[in-house]
Amino acid sequence: IYLNREYPYGKFFIWLAFMSAWGCDTGAYFTGVTIGKHKLIPSLSPKKTVEGSIGGVVTAFVISFVYGYIIQRYFSFEGTHVLLLCSLTGIFGSLLSQVGDLAASAIKRYTGIKDYGNLIPGHGGIIDRFDSVLFTAPLVYYVMIFLISGQVS
């Protein structure tokens, strides 16, 4: 996360790690509750559905794309493909955030822990808010390296 912040334009793009992770979580939850029928990986996380997973990717993409559109209108990003950077991060960040969430679920199942804490009632603890960010932050960094350095025209 620190490397993201210190990279050129990092103060704008660091937020993509959180938007893609938390946007995916939120979109997956509401989509899964509304239309979810097919279980994703019931042995790890019995409430997660395929429909929720897809809804999470779509939500994260839309949030990241809209964010990119807004910051591109108000700030100058010389040599940077803002919409491409934000779109790729939204899509792939949401996929990786789901991997991070499932990895945390696997750890909890393996150790027999239901929740990592009680700070946020109804959630699995504070680590559940950041397990997916641990996977998306490096992605944002490498997407920035690839797209800000001007390798894509």
Side-chain angles (χ1 to χ4, degrees):
I1 292 174
Y2 173 76
L3 292 175
N4 289 347
R5 173 64 179 89
E6 294 303 310
Y7 206 77
Y9 311 122
K11 67 182 179 183
F12 296 100
F13 298 127
I14 191 171
W15 300 108
L16 291 171
F18 301 100
M19 286 181 206
S20 61
W22 295 341
C24 181
D25 284 350
T26 303
Y29 174 78
F30 286 111
T31 305
V33 166
T34 306
I35 62 170
K37 295 203 184 325
H38 304 91
K39 300 296 181 189
L40 186 63
I41 304 176
S43 60
L44 286 181
S45 194
K47 293 183 180 180
K48 288 185 177 30
T49 64
V50 173
E51 294 83 1
S53 176
I54 294 167
V57 173
V58 170
T59 302
F61 166 75
V62 169
I63 290 170
S64 299
F65 182 85
V66 168
Y67 176 72
Y69 180 78
I70 291 169
I71 64 171
Q72 180 177 277
R73 290 197 61 187
Y74 295 102
F75 300 97
S76 174
F77 298 93
E78 190 173 317
T80 303
H81 305 276
V82 175
L83 289 178
L84 181 60
L85 189 150
C86 291
S87 298
L88 289 175
T89 303
I91 293 168
F92 293 110
S94 63
L95 293 171
L96 279 177
S97 76
Q98 291 182 48
V99 170
D101 195 40
L102 290 169
S105 293
I107 291 168
K108 289 194 297 190
R109 295 263 181 236
Y110 179 76
T111 59
I113 298 171
K114 178 167 174 20
D115 291 333
Y116 286 123
N118 299 322
L119 185 62
I120 306 172
H123 294 272
I126 198 71
I127 290 177
D128 271 1
R129 297 300 99 215
F130 291 96
D131 55 10
S132 50
V133 174
L134 294 173
F135 281 67
T136 59
L139 172 80
V140 172
Y141 180 72
Y142 287 111
V143 170
M144 284 191 310
I145 286 175
F146 182 67
L147 293 177
I148 292 177
S149 66
Q151 295 178 14
V152 175
S153 57

